[in-house]
Amino acid sequence: NMGLSYERANRFPHAFDHAYRALNILSRCTEPSTFKRELFASTNFNLGLIHDLEKKFSEAKIYYEQALAYRREYLSQDHPDVTNLQNTLSLLPSQ
């Protein structure tokens, strides 16, 4: 995932570009699957993280919530990925 590479290098505009490209590609895939939902969840989480690192907390919240919604579709409420996202959301500062 090029977006993650750019994110780790703090090159956020490039990270956004690649993450949005990934969402676009996923949106065109018509076959429903858990794998596709996980890719949507992960990409939305990455977008949330990029906004979070840029201190754009209201934008981060939108993407974290989207990632949480996808993960709740196929994971139990007490799954670590679900609880970690809930904790992340609860720790976001208000803008």
Side-chain angles (χ1 to χ4, degrees):
N1 187 328
M2 289 299 298
L4 289 175
S5 298
Y6 284 120
E7 176 187 310
R8 290 184 181 120
N10 292 328
R11 296 180 64 190
F12 300 125
H14 293 295
F16 281 122
D17 183 47
H18 285 279
Y20 287 124
R21 278 188 198 173
L23 284 179
N24 188 20
I25 290 166
L26 287 169
S27 296
R28 287 185 270 147
C29 177
T30 58
E31 183 179 322
S33 71
T34 300
F35 180 67
K36 180 182 172 184
R37 289 190 306 238
E38 174 53 31
L39 289 173
F40 266 115
S42 295
T43 304
N44 276 285
F45 176 83
N46 291 339
L47 283 163
L49 180 59
I50 296 165
H51 283 295
D52 200 349
L53 292 170
E54 288 196 309
K55 306 205 181 314
K56 296 179 180 176
F57 303 118
S58 59
E59 290 92 341
K61 181 180 178 186
I62 293 166
Y63 289 103
Y64 285 147
E65 287 175 340
Q66 211 34 52
L68 182 59
Y70 279 113
R71 290 209 167 124
R72 282 181 169 157
E73 289 178 8
Y74 60 93
L75 297 174
S76 66
Q77 186 64 24
D78 61 345
H79 190 280
D81 288 349
V82 172
T83 57
N84 287 339
L85 261 168
Q86 290 171 325
N87 290 337
T88 298
L89 279 163
S90 71
L91 295 173
L92 276 180
S94 300
Q95 275 189 325

